[in-house]
Amino acid sequence: MKLLHTELLIARHFKNSVFKNQAIYIITFFIGALLLFAAFSGWDNYKSQNETSEKYQHESREDWLKNPDKNPHRMAHYGNFAFRKSTSLSVFEFGMEPFFGNAIFLEAHKQNTANFSEAGFSNSMLRFGEISIAMVLQVLLPLLIFFVGFNSVAYERENGTLKILLSQGISWKQLLFGKVLGIASVVMLLFIPTIIVLVLIWLTLQNFSISADETIKMLLFIGFHFIYLMFFCVAAVLISASSKTSKKALVSLIGIWLIFTIILPRTTQAIGAYLYEAPSKIQFNSDIEKDILKQGDSHNPNDVHYKAIKDSLLRAYKVDSVQKLPFNYSGFIMTEGEKISSNIYNKHLEELLKIYARQNSFSKAVSFFNPYIAMKNLSMGLSNTDYDSYIDFQKQAEKYRYGMAQKMNALQVKYISNKKPGPNDKPLTIGREHWADLEEFHYEPKGVWEVLKTEIVSVISILLWVILLFVLIRIAAKNLKAI
């Protein structure tokens, strides 16, 4: 208790000395204003995007159901839309969401990519860079910590009070931990109100009805950001204690901040893309088309591949024409064609995703050298605004698209006659009531355990960094000198 009392006294004294500097009030007010602005813009963005998604998802569903009696294959080509709603934590961490599309047009025989991203309609704010609560916590608060803590020990050494403190029986360990607590107490004046506002917004957005999964995500979001900020508090004290002057400590800390938050993130992305080069979108689509053409064209009655299927069906049912088959031949061929084209697309997509996974694995590996990258990846994962969440949306939409196309093909096989209508006959159709057989698309975000499994490297990296720094404090406590 006596040891803890000493550390708290050091922390309180340091906190009081920090607020004697008028500049700290200006900086704190500025960051506080940014946090409020980030909360407001995140709230507005979330409400706007989800209201738009719900509106057009509902309109798309209504348009689908309002279609008149029609050939099912025409309905498959008429298509549908899949919209992705934002999760509540995306209010605080925008991640990659502004740059990825949130809507996909779904149609037979073709896999489309997501469109209608905010970057596609980019305004000046997006080009400048959107300000989110996560960005302030991960980038600006560490800078504030360094500004507050650069002279925490170095100043004591410069004015000679360090020798006096140590001569009075205070150990290096007590001094270092006391300074860390002092810096943390200053930062908590911003962090705690931010968390309170964050939780209130989060609860309001969900009408105070929260799931266990979302609750765990929120607690992890808060907990890991707290750990992340404590890492910078410890780093500030260690650099200050090992520097002979406050000026050297400040230069060193600013250099660390620039490397962690600006230089390394952009460098690792560029190196990853260079080492594992991905094909262009044109090349990707061209390769798919080539492979599909090798398998045949399901819309061409004279195609070799599908002619072989026709001949085998005629032999199996012992008839001499497709008109005599007990099911709709065209629907059967479209079912086969959809299966082949989807398998080819998924095969190429998996290969592309492997390349992107290698690029991302390089960035994740660098997180062992940079806690900012680890925190950013984990934050985006928990808010479902990361690359993996975007791919998950694409896969859910593709699964729905394939089910839609095959359901329409199955209706054609079952209800449409093989007899071709004459020039004066009505086209072959089925009743519009069948359109309701297809359920509406609903995007399901990844669960917390799936996120943690994906971001396990980031979790381990953050924890290892904090453990390392506290080990360094113990080592420093034994080796640091007062002069």
Side-chain angles (χ1 to χ4, degrees), residues 140-152 183 187 231-237 239 249-250 252-258 260:
L140 296 184
L141 275 191
L143 187 60
L144 173 64
I145 289 170
F146 284 171
F147 177 78
V148 169
F150 78 94
N151 64 354
S152 56
I183 298 172
V187 176
F231 158 81
F232 283 97
C233 292
V234 175
V237 171
I239 296 297
L250 180 60
S252 298
L253 289 171
I254 290 176
I256 291 172
W257 180 81
L258 286 171
F260 278 178

Side-chain angles (χ1 to χ4, degrees), residues 280-408:
S280 66
K281 184 177 180 180
I282 295 174
Q283 183 65 46
F284 176 73
N285 291 331
S286 176
D287 291 342
I288 292 173
E289 289 297 325
K290 288 177 183 176
D291 282 356
I292 290 176
L293 289 174
K294 289 178 184 177
Q295 292 292 328
D297 183 0
S298 59
H299 289 80
N300 180 7
N302 298 316
D303 183 272
V304 175
H305 175 78
Y306 292 97
K307 187 176 184 302
I309 294 176
K310 181 181 74 173
D311 292 341
S312 66
L313 287 173
L314 295 178
R315 285 195 301 270
Y317 286 91
K318 298 178 181 179
V319 293
D320 57 4
S321 70
V322 295
Q323 282 75 25
K324 295 179 181 179
L325 288 171
F327 55 84
N328 183 267
Y329 170 72
S330 294
F332 180 86
I333 290 298
M334 292 303 139
T335 301
E336 179 69 12
E338 190 66 56
K339 186 187 299 182
I340 290 172
S341 64
S342 293
N343 285 337
I344 290 172
Y345 174 82
N346 290 331
K347 180 181 176 183
H348 280 269
L349 180 61
E350 287 302 320
E351 291 299 317
L352 181 65
L353 293 182
K354 286 178 183 178
I355 296 174
Y356 289 144
R358 293 189 194 103
Q359 292 179 358
N360 292 333
S361 66
F362 180 81
S363 175
K364 288 182 179 181
V366 174
S367 68
F368 285 109
F369 304 96
N370 186 355
Y372 168 74
I373 293 178
M375 188 66 252
K376 185 66 177 176
N377 288 339
L378 181 58
S379 176
M380 291 192 298
L382 290 171
S383 59
N384 289 102
T385 58
D386 60 337
Y387 166 78
D388 288 325
S389 296
Y390 168 72
I391 294 301
D392 184 57
F393 168 59
Q394 288 267 46
K395 289 183 176 180
Q396 288 186 38
E398 168 56 20
K399 182 179 179 181
Y400 180 87
R401 185 207 67 80
Y402 182 76
M404 175 192 74
Q406 295 297 53
K407 186 178 285 288
M408 295 300 106

Side-chain angles (χ1 to χ4, degrees), residues 414-475:
K414 185 175 182 180
Y415 293 110
I416 298 296
S417 170
N418 278 315
K419 183 181 178 182
K420 302 294 181 184
N424 298 319
D425 295 336
K426 291 179 64 178
L428 299 174
T429 63
I430 63 172
R432 57 180 293 182
E433 67 275 7
H434 290 287
W435 311 150
D437 293 347
L438 180 70
E439 295 181 359
E440 188 175 4
F441 175 83
H442 290 288
Y443 168 62
E444 291 295 332
K446 294 192 301 178
V448 63
W449 303 119
E450 191 177 350
V451 170
L452 290 176
K453 182 180 177 182
T454 304
E455 297 298 338
I456 187 65
V457 173
S458 299
V459 173
I460 294 172
S461 172
I462 294 170
L463 296 178
L464 285 178
W465 270 101
V466 173
I467 293 170
L468 174 63
L469 285 183
F470 278 96
V471 170
L472 287 176
I473 281 185
R474 289 184 173 273
I475 295 172

Side-chain angles (χ1 to χ4, degrees), residues 1 18 29 51 75 136 138 174 222 230 256 299 325-327 359 364 391 464:
M1 289 295 293
V18 165
F29 175 79
E51 286 174 2
M75 279 298 290
V136 176
Q138 294 162 17
Q174 289 175 307
I222 295 171
M230 287 303 298
I256 291 172
H299 289 80
L325 288 171
F327 55 84
Q359 292 179 358
K364 288 182 179 181
I391 294 301
L464 285 178

